[in-house]
Amino acid sequence: MANLKNTPEVIKVLHFLDAIGIPVVEKELDDTTFLPGLALGANCIQIDFNKLLYPGDILHEAGHLAVTTSENRNNIGTPKMASNWPTDGEEIIAMLWSYAALTHLNLPAEFVFHPNGYKNQASWLIENYSNQNYIGLPLLEWTGLCLTKEQADRENTKPFPTMVKWVRD
């Protein structure tokens, strides 16, 4: 399996995550991770580039960190984190966050929403997001990370997928 660390897309993603303050730790991971080559730790993404299959999953996992409160980010991967994390709502807004990130980075939607993920709903998600049907957007707006079109119009600014900020307080 080819190491994906030095592909232009991964380099772009890693620079972006560094710029917005999401730490990436390169380490050897066992085969029990939910996604091959990826794990979330206390306020960081752990990547094993020798096992990573889908580099777009890095953005999705970053979305989980970004939409989690700063207080809870430090609990990720520890017994202090709620056993039901991420909730369905957090999963939905992590997907929206990753869509905003790939849009910001000028990457194709298929980079994150690949056919081997998202419970066989990747094309459905791409179709909805491409048609500006952002399922769960009010919840993402509630986190303070973005604005819906209506709110952005009132504030004379850009709506989602433009983000107000990338990481939740």
Side-chain angles (χ1 to χ4, degrees), residues 59 97-113:
L59 278 180
W97 185 95
S98 59
Y99 180 78
L102 68 85
T103 302
H104 176 77
L105 295 171
N106 293 314
L107 294 170
E110 294 80 8
F111 180 73
V112 170
F113 301 100

Side-chain angles (χ1 to χ4, degrees), residues 1-151:
M1 180 182 324
N3 186 310
L4 300 169
K5 182 178 182 179
N6 295 314
T7 64
E9 297 86 359
V10 170
I11 291 169
K12 188 185 275 194
V13 166
L14 295 177
H15 284 305
F16 170 70
L17 296 179
D18 182 56
I20 65 170
I22 294 181
V24 172
V25 176
E26 191 173 342
K27 69 181 277 188
E28 189 174 328
L29 298 169
D30 62 29
D31 292 329
T32 62
T33 59
F34 181 72
L35 295 171
L38 285 171
L40 290 176
N43 201 32
C44 72
I45 299 173
Q46 301 167 349
I47 305 176
D48 184 337
F49 285 102
N50 292 316
K51 294 181 179 168
L52 182 67
L53 294 181
Y54 305 103
D57 289 345
I58 299 169
L59 278 180
H60 179 77
E61 294 304 292
H64 282 299
L65 287 171
V67 303
T68 299
T69 62
S70 58
E71 175 185 339
N72 279 331
R73 273 195 298 277
N74 290 321
N75 295 331
I76 295 171
T78 73
K80 292 180 183 178
M81 193 57 162
S83 61
N84 69 338
W85 183 86
T87 64
D88 290 344
E90 289 164 326
E91 187 66 45
I92 289 168
I93 62 176
M95 288 189 282
L96 284 172
W97 185 95
S98 59
Y99 180 78
L102 68 85
T103 302
H104 176 77
L105 295 171
N106 293 314
L107 294 170
E110 294 80 8
F111 180 73
V112 170
F113 301 100
H114 54 82
N116 293 316
Y118 304 94
K119 300 178 182 173
N120 296 316
Q121 297 298 312
S123 6
W124 180 81
L125 288 165
I126 292 170
E127 181 182 338
N128 275 279
Y129 295 164
S130 299
N131 290 315
Q132 298 181 2
N133 181 22
Y134 303 124
I135 301 120
L137 184 57
L139 183 56
L140 186 60
E141 182 183 42
W142 175 80
T143 66
L145 297 179
C146 69
L147 299 173
T148 60
K149 181 167 180 3
E150 298 76 20
Q151 188 61 30

